[in-house]
């Protein structure tokens, strides 16, 4: 039956199968984790993970996205060496900066333990290199091997976090488990995919400098755009923690994790295949309108059911799954459900901005999103009021984003 499907959907099923395996254990582990630690522990870990996510984007310079377009072995080896170089610098600077911030009494750094602070750089380096290795897999249609690497990573994170929490070592178990899973996943990816190995060197050589010039749009426009996107994703958590305390931050963090699961599971799986298909269609037809349309329809059909369930039944579901202490997180999930439905659709389709050379347009939109988020959470109001206005503003911007991305798919916008 599967062999009769078009190649696009066979690849989607392959990636989705791996994503199901990668998400199954974390989803099963979440109710155990919420009962073995406090919302404050979850909030502190989420801040740590948010810093790693932001730093990892900067560490790659977004050049892993260029690998989908540049298939030559020598060029991909150069890409790995550039990422290894930038990631190493970011890791050292981040670790040193975190230590100095803690010694200087910075409030945000004071909320994290010393083990968490001193491993920020290591986690950033491993995350950046893992992202690059998975992009290499996508460029060679190695979806099955990439899926297995993700499964190893996710399963190791879940098992390590639950096991360490059961030993009673406290919130630091969440950080330690994440590091264990990253290491296992990266090792599995390297063994399965055998990506090009390249020493970064002490200074960028001529090949690395030429690669940076050839793909300058990725670090000039895509990098700041994606940094803003990740920062916006973490900004509500940080500002909620600052204004309403660690308990509120923990509740919001669980809400983000649960609502983000379908995006990580289904939308990210579709994205891996849409990347390849959209590039192929643009190179052969001059547009990727058809791929965009059936990807949009598939995402809408996949996302509408879970979104309606969360919109109608989130509070009792959260209380049942995670404990009565987390019912308030379900109330936040009700408010955010429509926004995450739009996010579920728009996230995979955003890659069309890269294919069409419209990174600058994407950057302008990210700046508007950042300004909206900052203004909403700086305005006076209760937690529910802030989250409601955030959901409304973000949803309206997503409608604009989808319109622009469809124009790009039809190749109706002049390249930036």
């Amino acid at each position: 039956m599967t062999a009769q499907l078009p190649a696009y959907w066979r690849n989607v099923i392959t990636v989705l199968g791996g994503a199901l395996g990668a998400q199954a254990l974390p989803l099963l582990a979440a109710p155990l984790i919420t009962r073995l630690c406090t919302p404050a522990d979850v909030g502190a870990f989420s801040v740590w993970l948010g810093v790693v996510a932001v730093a990892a984007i900067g560490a790659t310079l977004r050049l892993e996205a260029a690998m989908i377009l540049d298939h030559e072995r020598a060029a991909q080896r150069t890409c790995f060496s550039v990422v290894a170089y930038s990631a190493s610098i970011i890791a050292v600077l981040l670790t040193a900066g975190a230590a100095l911030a803690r010694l200087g009494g910075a409030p945000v750094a004071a909320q994290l333990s010393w083990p968490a602070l001193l491993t920020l750089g290591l986690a950033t380096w491993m995350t950046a290199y893992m992202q690059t290795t998975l992009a290499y897999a996508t460029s060679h249609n190695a979806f099955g091997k990439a899926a297995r690497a993700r499964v190893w990573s996710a399963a190791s994170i879940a098992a390590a976090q639950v096991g360490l929490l059961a030993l009673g070592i406290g919130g630091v178990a969440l950080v330690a488990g994440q590091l264990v899973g990253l290491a296992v996943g990266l090792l599995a990816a390297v063994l399965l995919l055998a990506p090009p190995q390249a020493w970064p060197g002490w200074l960028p050589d001529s090949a690395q400098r030429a690669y940076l010039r050839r793909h300058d749009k990725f670090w000039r426009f895509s990098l700041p755009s994606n940094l803003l996107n990740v920062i916006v994703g973490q900004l509500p958590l940080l500002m909620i923690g600052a204004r309403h305390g660690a308990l509120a931050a923990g509740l919001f963090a669980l809400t983000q994790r649960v609502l983000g699961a379908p995006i990580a599971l289904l939308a990210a799986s579709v994205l891996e295949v849409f990347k390849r298909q959209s590039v192929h269609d643009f190179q052969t037809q001059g547009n990727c309108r058809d791929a965009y349309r059936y990807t949009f329809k598939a995402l809408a059909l996949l996302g509408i059911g879970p979104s309606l369930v969360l919109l109608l039944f989130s509070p009792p579901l959260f209380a049942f799954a995670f404990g009565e202490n987390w019912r308030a997180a379900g109330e936040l999930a009700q408010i955010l459900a429509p926004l995450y439905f739009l996010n579920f659709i728009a996230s995979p389709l955003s890659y069309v901005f890269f294919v069409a050379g419209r990174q600058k347009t994407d950057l302008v939109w990210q700046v508007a999103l950042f300004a909206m988020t900052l203004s909403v959470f700086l305005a006076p109001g209760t937690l529910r009021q802030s989250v409601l206005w955030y959901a409304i503003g973000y949803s309206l911007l997503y409608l604009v984003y989808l319109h622009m991305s469809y124009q790009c798919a039809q190749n109706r916008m002049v390249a930036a």
Side-chain angles (χ1 to χ4, degrees):
M1 179 68 176
T2 302
Q4 299 174 356
L5 294 174
Y8 180 89
W9 292 111
R10 288 203 303 270
N11 288 333
V12 169
I13 291 172
T14 299
V15 179
L16 181 56
L20 283 168
Q23 292 295 320
L25 273 177
L27 290 175
L28 291 173
L32 293 174
I33 290 174
T34 55
R35 287 170 169 85
L36 290 170
C37 62
T38 66
D41 290 333
V42 174
F45 170 69
S46 299
V47 170
W48 179 87
L49 197 60
V51 173
V52 171
V54 172
I57 294 294
T60 64
L61 301 178
R62 287 300 284 143
L63 291 176
E64 85 283 1
M67 207 179 308
I68 311 296
L69 309 175
D70 205 340
H71 299 159
E72 294 183 3
R73 181 78 176 180
Q76 292 188 331
R77 182 182 297 108
T78 302
C79 181
F80 271 96
S81 68
V82 172
V83 171
Y85 182 85
S86 61
S88 298
I89 292 177
I90 293 294
V92 172
L93 293 177
L94 181 60
T95 304
L100 291 174
R102 178 61 179 269
L103 293 173
V108 175
Q111 296 178 11
L112 300 179
S113 65
W114 274 108
L117 290 171
L118 295 179
T119 55
L120 281 169
L122 176 62
T124 296
W125 195 97
M126 288 193 292
T127 301
Y129 209 83
M130 183 69 168
Q131 290 173 353
T132 307
T133 304
L134 294 177
Y136 170 81
T138 300
S139 72
H140 292 280
N141 282 334
F143 298 109
K145 292 180 178 179
R148 290 197 291 275
R150 287 192 179 95
V151 169
W152 275 103
S153 180
S156 300
I157 290 172
Q161 287 181 337
V162 172
L164 292 172
L165 281 169
L167 292 175
I169 67 174
V172 71
L174 299 176
V175 171
Q178 185 75 21
L179 291 171
V180 169
L182 284 174
V184 171
L186 182 56
L187 178 61
V190 171
L191 293 176
L192 288 168
L193 297 165
Q197 301 299 309
W199 176 251
W202 295 107
L203 291 173
D205 58 26
S206 58
Q208 292 171 330
R209 293 194 297 271
Y211 190 87
L212 286 168
R213 288 193 296 269
R214 185 164 68 253
H215 297 292
D216 64 319
K217 284 185 178 180
F218 287 92
W219 53 267
R220 286 176 58 199
F221 301 123
S222 297
L223 175 59
S225 175
N226 277 263
L227 279 174
L228 279 174
N229 182 261
V230 176
I231 290 171
V232 166
Q234 302 302 322
L235 190 60
L237 176 66
L238 297 175
M239 298 190 71
I240 286 172
R243 290 187 57 188
H244 303 284
L247 174 61
L251 295 172
F252 188 80
L254 181 66
T255 303
Q256 283 187 312
R257 182 173 182 177
V258 172
L259 293 182
I263 297 171
L265 175 62
L266 298 172
S269 302
V270 175
L271 169 61
E272 293 304 311
V273 182
F274 180 67
K275 284 180 180 180
R276 183 80 179 186
Q277 187 68 40
S278 59
V279 170
H280 176 268
D281 288 358
F282 236 92
Q283 291 174 344
T284 57
Q285 304 173 17
N287 66 76
C288 60
R289 180 179 60 251
D290 292 338
Y292 186 100
R293 284 177 174 173
Y294 54 70
T295 301
F296 179 94
K297 292 176 182 177
L299 289 167
L301 290 173
L302 288 169
I304 189 65
S307 298
L308 286 174
V309 170
L310 289 168
L311 181 64
L312 298 174
F313 307 111
S314 285
L317 286 175
F318 271 63
F320 173 76
F322 307 111
E324 191 62 34
N325 290 338
W326 297 90
R327 179 179 289 271
E331 296 172 357
L332 296 179
Q334 278 188 309
I335 298 173
L336 293 169
L339 166 61
Y340 274 78
F341 173 67
L342 291 173
N343 188 4
F344 180 80
I345 297 174
S347 293
L349 296 174
S350 66
Y351 191 76
V352 75
F353 287 102
F354 301 136
V355 179
R358 291 292 300 175
Q359 291 96 324
K360 190 174 181 179
T361 300
D362 184 55
L363 175 58
V364 172
W365 185 87
Q366 297 292 348
V367 171
L369 176 60
F370 177 80
M372 183 279 297
T373 304
L374 193 63
S375 62
V376 163
F377 283 99
L378 284 176
T382 65
L383 174 61
R384 287 178 60 86
Q385 289 172 335
S386 297
V387 172
L388 176 60
W389 284 111
Y390 169 72
I392 293 172
Y394 208 159
S395 297
L396 292 174
L397 284 172
Y398 259 139
L399 294 176
V400 175
Y401 196 69
L402 285 168
H403 172 74
M404 293 192 302
S405 64
Y406 185 54
Q407 295 297 311
C408 287
Q410 300 177 87
N411 203 12
R412 291 183 177 179
M413 302 177 79
V414 180

